[in-house]
Amino acid sequence: ELSGLSSSAQGKNDNAGLECGIALFYEILRYINAETRQFPPSCQFLTSCVQILGQELVQRDPRQTGNILDLLLAQRGRADLLAPLFQPNTCPDQFVHMYRVTAEVAMKEGPTLAFSVLTKFNISSWLESYSPSSSEQTQLLTHISQGLTMCGPKPTQDDEVLVEVYRHHFRQLVNFQYPAHYNDALLFLIGATDNGTLIPGSLTDFCQLLGPREQPEKCRLGLQLIQETAQLLASHYLDKRTSTEQSVYSLIDFDHHELLEDAGGS
């Protein structure tokens, strides 16, 4: 019956059937709880119904993407059912907002659920297919940078999985239409270094995007941008040196100092 409803709603472009199927999905989902899970046959039946309706109808309706995310983050006990249905790329105009919401959950409640949700965001596909505005791209870079900062310079073992996702997203976004996001990324790295929140590896990621260090002639930066970068760094660290009695190097902990030296060869 459910398969027939799904086929009818899809094949005939039946809006009424689609709305009915989606409403039925949410209604059945309500009955999957601690009580019904104690009865495997009933739970299996309800789960099968939710999976069929979710995959055939809900997942294919972009209007449901935000609802699924809200339920997923609010009802952790149903994450196994809802996570496969969350496809943020089907709702590109809400992509940045959904990323922000997920990153905020990671900041407040840890990586357990946020990791599985963040891996659903295909940054490259969103950039290429949706062609977001520069402001949307900048907002996304801000959320990614905040996520990296949240993990800190010495992330816990649990947070390391989040770090890898954020670093991957950081590389994809900064590399898109390079060097469009070069300045914003550089300012983030400078600020994270000053605050002692620089994630190990993020500076190396940034430097590797400049081009192969074995072939400096293939640097992706133009002469003007190189000069502007040199002026920015010189001005920034001159201000740091003259505004504190400490040396500039003492403001960077040992691990970051090593990282800066290593990245300098990139």
Side-chain angles (χ1 to χ4, degrees):
E1 292 294 334
L2 291 179
S3 298
L5 175 62
S6 298
S7 300
S8 175
Q10 294 178 56
K12 300 179 181 178
N13 195 24
D14 182 1
N15 290 331
L18 177 63
E19 295 296 334
C20 179
I22 291 175
L24 184 59
F25 165 84
Y26 290 114
E27 184 65 22
I28 296 175
L29 184 65
R30 290 197 311 113
Y31 289 97
I32 300 179
N33 49 42
E35 183 178 354
T36 55
R37 287 181 188 273
Q38 295 179 8
F39 301 93
S42 298
C43 185
Q44 184 176 2
F45 171 72
L46 294 173
T47 298
S48 298
C49 293
V50 165
Q51 289 174 338
I52 292 172
L53 292 170
Q55 293 170 7
E56 298 297 329
L57 298 180
V58 175
Q59 191 176 39
R60 300 185 182 187
D61 184 355
R63 297 172 301 172
Q64 305 307 314
T65 306
N67 295 334
I68 293 297
L69 177 61
D70 291 340
L71 284 173
L72 180 57
L73 297 179
Q75 302 179 13
R76 311 301 170 84
R78 295 169 178 163
D80 57 330
L81 292 172
L82 295 171
L85 303 178
F86 179 60
Q87 302 293 334
N89 286 75
T90 64
C91 197
D93 58 324
Q94 292 296 311
F95 191 90
V96 175
H97 168 73
M98 292 187 292
Y99 197 100
R100 176 183 64 79
V101 170
T102 306
E104 288 176 351
V105 169
M107 292 180 188
K108 297 176 182 177
E109 303 182 28
T112 304
L113 178 61
F115 168 74
S116 63
V117 179
L118 283 172
T119 57
K120 296 281 189 175
F121 289 85
N122 189 326
I123 304 293
S124 293
S125 176
W126 178 70
L127 292 168
E128 295 290 347
S129 62
Y130 178 58
S131 300
S133 66
S134 58
S135 63
E136 288 177 300
Q137 296 176 43
T138 300
Q139 289 173 25
L140 181 59
L141 181 59
T142 297
H143 300 322
I144 295 171
S145 301
Q146 290 173 342
L148 283 168
T149 300
M150 177 272 300
C151 293
K154 297 178 181 179
T156 65
Q157 187 172 1
D158 289 339
D159 282 339
E160 285 178 357
V161 292
L162 271 184
V163 170
E164 291 305 312
V165 175
Y166 284 132
R167 285 180 60 187
H168 180 59
H169 290 170
F170 180 82
R171 291 191 298 267
Q172 288 182 315
L173 183 51
V174 176
N175 193 49
F176 181 69
Q177 296 181 344
Y178 194 86
H181 300 293
Y182 172 84
N183 285 333
D184 289 333
L186 178 61
L187 291 174
F188 156 66
L189 292 171
I190 292 174
T193 301
D194 290 346
N195 298 329
T197 57
L198 185 66
I199 284 287
S202 57
L203 184 57
T204 302
D205 292 338
F206 178 77
C207 290
Q208 287 176 343
L209 292 173
L210 302 179
R213 66 178 181 179
E214 298 82 5
Q215 299 173 291
E217 70 277 6
K218 292 187 177 182
C219 178
R220 300 171 71 188
L221 299 181
L223 178 60
Q224 180 179 351
L225 192 52
I226 292 176
Q227 292 174 332
E228 291 174 355
T229 300
Q231 293 171 356
L232 172 64
L233 293 173
S235 175
H236 177 79
Y237 286 108
L238 176 61
D239 289 342
K240 295 288 290 184
R241 187 173 63 184
T242 56
S243 63
T244 178
E245 296 181 357
Q246 296 176 281
S247 69
V248 172
Y249 296 109
S250 69
L251 299 176
I252 305 174
D253 68 34
F254 182 74
D255 290 339
H256 290 158
H257 193 182
E258 280 189 337
L259 182 59
L260 288 170
E261 291 178 344
D262 178 65
S266 299

